[in-house]
Amino acid sequence: MSRAPQLKALVLIAPLLVFLGVFFVWPLVTVISQAISDPAISRVLPRTASAISGWNGQGLPGAEVQAALRADMAANTDEMAMGDVIRRLNASKSGFRSLMGKTVTALKESPDKPLAEIDKRWGDTAYWLAIRENASPYTDAYLLESVDLERGSDGSIQAKPAGSSANGAIILRTLWTGALVTLCCLLIGLPYAMVTASVTGWKRALLLGAVLLPLWTSLLVRTAAWMILLQENGLINQALMGLGLTNAPLALIYNRFGVVLAMTHVLLPFMVLPIYSVLLTVPGNLMGAAASLGAHPVRAFLRVLLPLSLRGVISGMLLVFMSAIGYYITPALIGGATDQMISSVIAFYATGSANWSMAAALGLILLVLTLVLYALYNRLSREPGQMG
Amino acid sequence: MTDSFMRFDKVTKDYGSVRVVEDLDLTIARGEFVSLLGPSGSGKTTLLMMLAGFESVTAGAITLDGQRLNDVPTYKRDMGVVFQNYALFPHMTIARNVAFPLEMRGTPKSEIATRVKRALDMVQLGHLSDRMPGQLSGGQQQRVALARSLVFEPRVVLMDEPLGALDKQLREQMQLDIRELHHRLGLTIIFVTHDQDEALTMSDRIAVFNKGQIQQCASPRQVYDHPANRFVAEFIGETNLLAGKVSGVDGGRVALTLPDGSVLQADGAPGFSVGDDALLSLRPERIDLHGPADALTGLNTLRGDVADTIYQGDHLRIVIVTAAGRIIARVPRKAAEWPNGSQVVLSFRPTDGWVIAP
Ligand SMILES: Nc1ncnc2c1ncn2[C@@H]1O[C@H](COP(=O)(O)OP(=O)(O)OP(=O)(O)O)[C@@H](O)[C@H]1O
Ligand SMILES: [Mg+2]
């Protein structure tokens, strides 16, 4: 009975579903698969890869695996791809470079020569194990690398040698910058929202407008404005020096201070608006009631208004933090080399070194962080009134 | 001391250029239950807000127990306030709500527990102490607000239309409960209401407000039977007003000559002299109806024709056209009925009428 309307509804939202699929789900799937796929060996040595998956790892693999490897190597025409494969295998088991080089040359001369005769190392299980290990089209190597981990030769997860990768440090820096920005937004946004909610008429409109206006301005414009203000001979430094407060220009830009300042400005609305909207639902005379019951205004604030605005505060903090850790333009333009955040690293891998897999893996880490926070946000915003 | 526990001296309140309360004088004794009654916008809430300290006093003085209150902040005034919308703290349990004023006063924990329990038991809500306010009905929230405003034994309890949101039955129950508490605890209560029945039932005295001024402040009986002026007579209950000239004054008894020449005797406020214009206020239920042939002595009488009879369940409202104007009489159902157009004689005892200035 309800099928017809259901179908109709489905048809009506079909464009939206298609849109979501094309512009959201598909890119997401691509990114995830990019982050965990490792097609090098399975593409260059397809027969070997499928044959070796049937081998139990005990003794030497059967003749069909060896034949597959020989056939794959004979069929390969892409020297570069083969070089990539050799590099990968050598990373798992040293000695592979010379072994493969020797084998490729030997097979060119006499395609039917048994592998064991070409080099006795083919009689060593360890080399075959290395192939099997890398034969899978999937890998966790990029994900591990994006948090400074790797797999050792025995397959266990271990930390990368110190100094060889800065991803972990940059993730921590990203979280720290996000936390700083969130704190600054809270310190400014909470009193601001409370004042806004407590006044009426044109005063409220003015305060709300001041917060909303930046939202309607392009992020790039706002960041550029900060660049102009904070420069060495920008407005602020000129004013400070003109007033005689400093002799030399202060370093306001290309450091952490500038980044946090500009990001706080940009993200402030996301703190103010949730708190403001929660405060609007608080009956106006609760503070009066608290006063009539003997509460000093400060205690009334701490016991009544603050707990009641907590839900907005938590929403605001999560919103600001989630947006902050994904910031790219502002740190890139206003930060120095040591202020770059995870997005800059992703951009570097994606456009600078064409390492799409690393870019995707780092992106995935960022996505997971954001999703965890979002789940937290959802939980907290669904349970009102339980925080007092 | 009992006479002037609380005093308003020429209290005035302006909002911008609008004068909302004007030169108001009022004294309230300790333990008294005073209702503020008046039309919407007459300044009742404003007066209460000034008393509680939520609004400043533009001019004049409020004193409580000899202490000038004008510049004392709300949290030091020690008054319990019951708001119309209850104003319970939505993030605290019922028990925590009621404990709040005690915690603010630094009462020891063990004592808080017993006093909260006692206060909640008093309003018969002891079993709900762990609920959140959102989980209670309007009437229950109302009682929590009451318990919270009483638990710290304030000097005065202010209530702004606290029963306005309740249905009739619950409202009547709460009226009795509040009255009972008032007697038991000897509370001084100032109670704002729109509902005159409520004011008549509950109060020791009723202060009738109009346009920021108190028209009369007296016992319910006094306000109803002997209204100070035309506004009070018309605002409280229903009345017939007959205009005439004073033709004689004898102690508290005034003789009023109506335009058609008939003379009526009734009690009246002092201060009338012969020749003054005056109004006779005659409550509909104080009028008796008779057939034109009935012999009547020692009573005021007026002749008229029945114009309409309105059935109202337990009584009839009868509209009668007389030479002095339309008069409404309210007669019990068991009294005789008259068809429209029939001639009747109205009568009332001189003590049942009241003469006021026009
Ligand atoms: N904050 C304010 N600013 C300006 N005028 C106000 C303000 N508060 C109240 N008034 C005005 O003061 C007058 C008295 O208001 P008040 O609230 O005391 O009336 P009330 O007697 O309590 O009426 P009701 O029975 O409708 O509650 C009204 O005319 C109202 O418009
Ligand atoms: Mg009011």
Side-chain angles (χ1 to χ4, degrees):
Chain A
M1 272 217 178
S2 65
R3 280 193 69 93
Q6 247 177 27
L7 201 69
K8 212 161 131 188
L10 213 60
V11 168
L12 281 174
I13 60 163
L16 182 65
L17 289 179
V18 170
F19 181 89
L20 274 180
V22 172
F23 291 100
F24 185 70
V25 177
W26 182 65
L28 200 59
V29 169
T30 317
V31 166
I32 294 176
S33 64
Q34 186 73 253
I36 58 169
S37 74
D38 179 22
I41 287 172
S42 58
R43 206 178 72 233
V44 178
L45 308 173
R47 282 159 273 216
T48 318
S50 71
I52 207 166
S53 62
W55 171 51
N56 65 0
Q58 303 292 313
L60 282 182
E64 74 286 355
V65 179
Q66 306 211 6
L69 180 59
R70 259 208 314 268
D72 280 337
M73 287 171 92
N76 179 54
T77 51
D78 187 344
E79 294 287 326
M80 274 217 347
M82 183 57 91
D84 202 25
V85 169
I86 292 173
R87 215 174 320 117
R88 295 290 293 281
L89 290 174
N90 200 57
S92 297
K93 175 89 184 103
S94 56
F96 241 117
R97 195 183 301 279
S98 61
L99 174 60
M100 287 296 274
K102 200 170 164 189
T103 311
V104 169
T105 327
L107 284 176
K108 270 192 194 130
E109 285 162 15
S110 44
D112 296 329
K113 201 171 178 186
L115 289 174
E117 281 176 31
I118 294 173
D119 193 310
K120 64 177 190 317
R121 277 177 287 184
W122 283 122
D124 185 346
T125 317
Y127 288 92
W128 291 105
L129 280 174
I131 295 181
R132 191 180 72 158
E133 204 175 279
N134 287 293
S136 159
Y138 301 106
T139 179
D140 53 9
Y142 299 113
L143 286 173
L144 290 175
E145 191 180 340
S146 49
V147 287
D148 287 359
L149 296 172
E150 63 180 5
R151 280 194 187 273
S153 47
D154 59 346
S156 67
I157 293 175
Q158 63 187 39
K160 290 190 88 165
S164 66
S165 168
N167 289 339
I170 290 177
I171 290 177
L172 284 183
R173 179 195 298 162
T174 304
L175 296 177
W176 172 239
T177 308
L180 271 182
V181 171
T182 309
L183 185 70
C184 292
C185 281
L186 180 66
L187 291 181
I188 303 173
L190 180 61
Y192 193 95
M194 286 182 165
V195 171
T196 308
S198 67
V199 297
T200 50
W202 64 269
K203 289 181 200 147
R204 176 181 283 191
L206 187 76
L207 288 172
L208 274 183
V211 151
L212 287 171
L213 203 61
L215 267 188
W216 298 324
T217 322
S218 142
L219 177 63
L220 204 57
V221 171
R222 277 179 288 168
T223 306
W226 277 113
M227 291 177 74
I228 294 169
L229 283 174
L230 298 176
Q231 274 171 24
E232 201 163 293
N233 50 7
L235 277 178
I236 293 179
N237 269 321
Q238 278 182 1
L240 287 177
M241 281 164 30
L243 290 171
L245 293 173
T246 56
N247 299 322
L250 296 176
L252 300 173
I253 196 169
Y254 309 126
N255 56 21
R256 192 65 56 86
F257 170 80
V259 172
V260 172
L261 180 66
M263 283 177 69
T264 300
H265 168 240
V266 171
L267 291 171
L268 194 57
F270 298 105
M271 182 66 77
V272 172
L273 293 179
I275 301 179
Y276 170 75
S277 65
V278 166
L279 285 178
L280 280 193
T281 66
V282 175
N285 58 3
L286 286 191
M287 288 297 277
S292 76
L293 295 170
H296 184 273
V298 174
R299 295 185 81 183
F301 171 79
L302 291 177
R303 292 287 306 272
V304 178
L305 202 54
L306 193 62
L308 284 174
S309 57
L310 211 56
R311 210 150 48 88
V313 169
I314 288 174
S315 306
M317 284 175 65
L318 283 170
L319 273 177
V320 169
F321 189 75
M322 286 193 297
S323 317
I325 58 176
Y327 256 53
Y328 170 57
I329 292 181
T330 310
L333 293 182
I334 292 189
T338 56
D339 304 311
Q340 296 312 307
M341 312 216 310
I342 193 169
S343 303
S344 312
V345 183
I346 295 175
F348 164 74
Y349 277 120
T351 60
S353 70
N355 188 343
W356 294 99
S357 298
M358 267 315 289
L362 281 167
L364 209 57
I365 299 281
L366 186 58
L367 182 68
V368 167
L369 270 177
T370 314
L371 283 180
V372 167
L373 287 173
Y374 178 72
L376 198 69
Y377 166 78
N378 243 359
R379 255 193 82 91
L380 290 176
S381 58
R382 222 180 313 127
E383 289 173 44
Q386 300 291 319
M387 286 153 211
Chain B
M1 166 187 141
T2 48
D3 278 351
S4 56
F5 176 59
M6 182 190 290
R7 281 179 71 95
F8 294 81
D9 272 316
K10 300 257 175 277
V11 170
T12 297
K13 174 71 188 174
D14 293 343
Y15 282 119
S17 59
V18 186
R19 181 147 294 190
V20 176
V21 173
E22 188 169 8
D23 276 346
L24 184 137
D25 289 316
L26 180 65
T27 26
I28 291 168
R30 195 188 298 270
E32 210 176 7
F33 191 125
V34 176
S35 289
L36 309 185
L37 183 65
S40 190
S42 55
K44 309 179 294 288
T45 298
T46 306
L47 188 73
L48 218 60
M49 294 296 112
M50 286 193 285
L51 192 51
F54 299 134
E55 291 289 352
S56 61
V57 176
T58 307
I62 304 176
T63 46
L64 179 65
D65 223 356
Q67 181 195 16
R68 186 183 149 96
L69 280 187
N70 291 39
D71 302 313
V72 179
T74 301
Y75 72 97
K76 287 186 183 160
R77 289 198 183 189
D78 199 27
M79 293 184 185
V81 182
V82 182
F83 294 86
Q84 184 164 9
N85 69 349
Y86 321 136
L88 298 180
F89 304 127
H91 59 300
M92 299 182 192
T93 61
I94 299 314
R96 293 287 306 282
N97 261 283
V98 177
F100 187 88
L102 298 175
E103 286 169 8
M104 291 302 120
R105 285 166 173 74
T107 312
K109 275 217 151 51
S110 54
E111 193 186 333
I112 289 182
T114 49
R115 282 174 71 176
V116 166
K117 187 175 179 319
R118 206 179 337 133
L120 282 175
D121 286 343
M122 173 181 77
V123 293
Q124 291 148 32
L125 285 177
H127 57 296
L128 297 181
S129 60
D130 293 327
R131 293 244 195 121
M132 301 305 268
Q135 299 168 318
L136 298 189
S137 74
Q140 290 168 333
Q141 293 186 34
Q142 171 62 60
R143 284 185 277 163
V144 175
L146 198 62
R148 189 178 67 173
S149 71
L150 296 177
V151 70
F152 61 103
E153 290 164 14
R155 293 186 285 182
V156 182
V157 183
L158 313 179
M159 305 189 183
D160 191 359
E161 300 191 40
L163 310 182
L166 307 184
D167 67 41
K168 188 165 175 291
Q169 251 158 24
L170 194 53
R171 191 162 67 226
E172 281 166 4
Q173 180 58 44
M174 287 298 297
Q175 286 173 1
L176 295 179
D177 289 352
I178 292 176
R179 226 182 120 74
E180 216 258 326
L181 281 174
H182 167 239
H183 285 315
R184 189 143 53 86
L185 306 180
L187 295 166
T188 306
I189 296 183
I190 312 222
F191 186 97
V192 170
T193 178
H194 252 124
D195 180 340
Q196 32 176 295
D197 287 338
E198 194 164 280
L200 291 169
T201 333
M202 299 180 73
S203 327
D204 294 328
R205 277 194 300 156
I206 299 175
V208 182
F209 266 67
N210 190 32
K211 295 185 182 147
Q213 290 177 316
I214 292 182
Q215 305 293 321
Q216 185 175 13
C217 182
S219 68
R221 186 177 287 264
Q222 193 74 14
V223 166
Y224 188 82
D225 288 345
H226 298 153
N229 55 34
R230 179 170 186 165
F231 174 82
V232 177
E234 286 184 319
F235 186 74
I236 309 272
E238 190 184 18
T239 197
N240 299 292
L241 290 175
L242 309 181
K245 270 199 184 329
V246 175
S247 54
V249 180
D250 175 16
R253 184 64 50 87
V254 178
L256 197 68
T257 308
L258 301 186
D260 69 342
S262 52
V263 177
L264 299 174
Q265 304 275 339
D267 288 344
F272 281 111
S273 43
V274 175
D276 288 350
D277 283 327
L279 288 173
L280 171 65
S281 164
L282 191 54
R283 300 282 180 195
E285 73 278 6
R286 303 280 166 87
I287 298 174
D288 289 320
L289 292 186
H290 314 270
D294 291 1
L296 304 166
T297 52
L299 291 173
N300 297 304
T301 56
L302 278 171
R303 286 181 180 278
D305 299 319
V306 173
D308 198 3
T309 300
I310 299 148
Y311 177 77
Q312 298 216 305
D314 61 340
H315 69 269
L316 297 173
R317 283 162 58 80
I318 300 181
V319 184
I320 301 148
V321 179
T322 69
R326 266 159 52 101
I327 292 182
I328 291 172
R330 179 180 155 137
V331 299
R333 280 286 287 111
K334 62 178 200 277
E337 288 190 32
W338 282 271
N340 289 353
S342 54
Q343 259 206 2
V344 288
V345 176
L346 296 73
S347 76
F348 63 96
R349 290 178 301 174
T351 49
D352 283 337
W354 182 249
V355 179
I356 53 178

